[in-house]
Structure formats: structure tokens, C-alpha cells
Amino acid sequence: MIQPQLKSAQHGFRDKRSLVTNLLGQTTLAHKAFERNCQLDTFYGDYKAAFDKLIIMLLIIEFARFGIDKKTARWLWQYLIGRVNCVQMGKSKSRLYESPSGVPPASSLGPVMFTVFIDDLVDVLEFAHTLLFADDMKLASIISDLEDTQRMQRDIDNVMNWNERNILHFNNDKCYVFSAYRHDSSFIQSNYTMGDHVIERVEEMNDLGVFFNR
């Protein structure tokens, strides 16, 4: 019931989708840009401990958007709410505590829960193409002029606003912009920002285990 409703941007933990289909989407966009004598700018967003920071109440609201029945909703509530945790190192054990955030660690449902939670991120975008693999996120835009870079910046801002509403945050030092283009003379230079932070532009990027460089 959940899987068919997920946005096509999500390639993680889904049938007939994988790292390969995610990377194929990226390379297809790059070739389209080259055919038009344009560049492809890609923003790579890195979430801080995304699976641990996910707010459970917001997750349950997201599941409701997918139309789960009352019995499943009740089971999900009981599964997530009131979980008691502790940390043990050797013979030493911490006090018990409840966690209002995070999906259950090492559970088969954890990745599915996060993909449901992040699914509506796609809805806030106006210009950029989105490619997701669980909590790995990238926005890719074909850039032909400075106006296109402004559109790209608006979508980065849209993602930042979505993050604020959902209490998920990027690790600024691990977010990058990579540009793919054929000729130095055609390169359109633009600084992208997250609030007051200028996103680092890199010459090489490790994208899901595959290195891209200019």
C-alpha cells in the first residue's frame, strides 16, 4: 500500500530501484545538459543523524497522509511511542529513557519509515530535479544562464524551509555543489547558500560510491 504511493524520486529500499537507477538518473540529466550546451549543477545535502532525529509524531502524521487504516495506525503508534532505551558498555548500563525521535535502530521498518517521512520533500520544489536514496539527497538543475542559478537557489531555500518545518537539519560542512560541464568558457559561476552559509563548490564528488569529476 505504501510503496506504490512513494514519489519516483526515491530510489532507496524499493523494488526495481537501487543505487544504479539513482545514478542513471543523474547521468541522464548530465547528458541532457551537454546536448543543450549547458551545465548541470547538483546540490548534495547531508542530513545530521537523520534516522535518529526524525520526530515520531510527525512521522505518524505522514503515514496518515498515505491512507493507512485505523488498525495499522494503532499498531504503528504502539510500536513507536513509549519505547524505552538504554546504553550498555561492558557491565555498565545507563538509566532507562524514552525517545521522542528516531526510528527503531536495526529494524527492517526503519528505512521504510524514513522514506515515508521524506517523501513530500519533492512537493516543495519548483525547478530542480530531485534524486533520493533514503536520506541521501541531491538536487540537480540544468543551468543555461544566471536566472537558472537563481531558480536553483530558490529550491535550495525551499528545502531548507522544509527542513525547519520537519525539524531535520543539514550538516553544513558536508553539503556540496558540483557542476558538470564540457567547456570552461561556458561555465556559469554562481555561489549557492544555505542561509548565511556559502555552500562549498567541489571539483570531485563521491556520489553513492561513484566518483564524478570535471
Side-chain angles (χ1 to χ4, degrees):
M1 179 178 67
I2 296 294
Q3 290 283 349
Q5 297 185 64
L6 292 172
K7 302 289 194 309
S8 61
Q10 180 61 256
H11 293 255
F13 309 106
R14 300 184 65 184
D15 292 339
K16 299 181 181 179
R17 290 177 179 269
S18 63
L19 293 172
V20 173
T21 58
N22 184 292
L23 292 168
L24 181 61
Q26 179 73 6
T27 54
T28 298
L29 287 170
H31 283 296
K32 286 182 179 179
F34 296 161
E35 288 172 359
R36 293 165 49 182
N37 294 318
C38 299
Q39 70 192 51
L40 184 73
D41 281 5
T42 304
F43 164 71
Y44 291 83
D46 182 86
Y47 283 106
K48 291 181 180 178
F51 281 58
D52 296 330
K53 299 293 185 180
L54 188 152
I55 301 299
I56 292 172
M57 289 298 297
L58 295 177
L59 172 62
I60 292 173
I61 291 171
E62 282 300 311
F63 266 98
R65 187 172 63 85
F66 278 77
I68 61 174
D69 57 65
K70 291 182 179 179
K71 184 177 180 180
T72 304
R74 188 180 305 112
W75 176 87
L76 186 66
W77 178 275
Q78 293 172 347
Y79 178 63
L80 293 172
I81 297 297
R83 288 183 295 117
V84 178
N85 308 282
C86 72
V87 178
Q88 182 170 350
M89 298 183 65
K91 295 182 180 180
S92 300
K93 185 181 293 186
S94 72
R95 62 177 178 80
L96 297 178
Y97 63 93
E98 290 189 15
S99 175
S101 65
V103 297
S107 68
S108 58
L109 282 177
V112 175
M113 290 178 180
F114 189 84
T115 57
V116 166
F117 188 82
I118 202 173
D119 187 68
D120 68 345
L121 171 65
V122 179
D123 296 335
V124 306
L125 301 174
E126 304 169 10
F127 177 66
H129 297 270
T130 318
L131 288 164
L132 302 169
F133 191 87
D135 60 333
D136 286 308
M137 187 217 71
K138 56 195 173 200
L139 304 180
S141 296
I142 296 175
I143 304 297
S144 61
D145 53 34
L146 285 174
E147 288 186 3
D148 285 342
T149 67
Q150 293 166 6
R151 295 185 183 98
M152 176 72 162
Q153 180 61 61
R154 284 202 301 271
D155 271 343
I156 294 174
D157 294 340
N158 289 336
V159 170
M160 296 297 291
N161 291 334
W162 184 92
N163 289 352
E164 288 296 324
R165 291 195 301 272
N166 290 278
I167 320 178
L168 282 180
H169 301 289
F170 285 136
N171 184 341
N172 289 359
D173 293 335
K174 294 184 178 180
C175 294
Y176 305 101
V177 169
F178 173 80
S179 294
Y181 53 90
R182 281 182 169 171
H183 306 291
D184 288 345
S185 60
S186 64
F187 174 57
I188 299 170
Q189 173 69 45
S190 179
N191 287 329
Y192 297 107
T193 61
M194 297 185 296
D196 296 330
H197 174 75
V198 177
I199 305 167
E200 181 181 355
R201 185 180 285 275
V202 295
E203 300 288 328
E204 182 180 73
M205 189 66 205
N206 182 349
D207 188 342
L208 300 175
V210 175
F211 283 92
F212 290 88
N213 57 43
R214 294 206 294 261

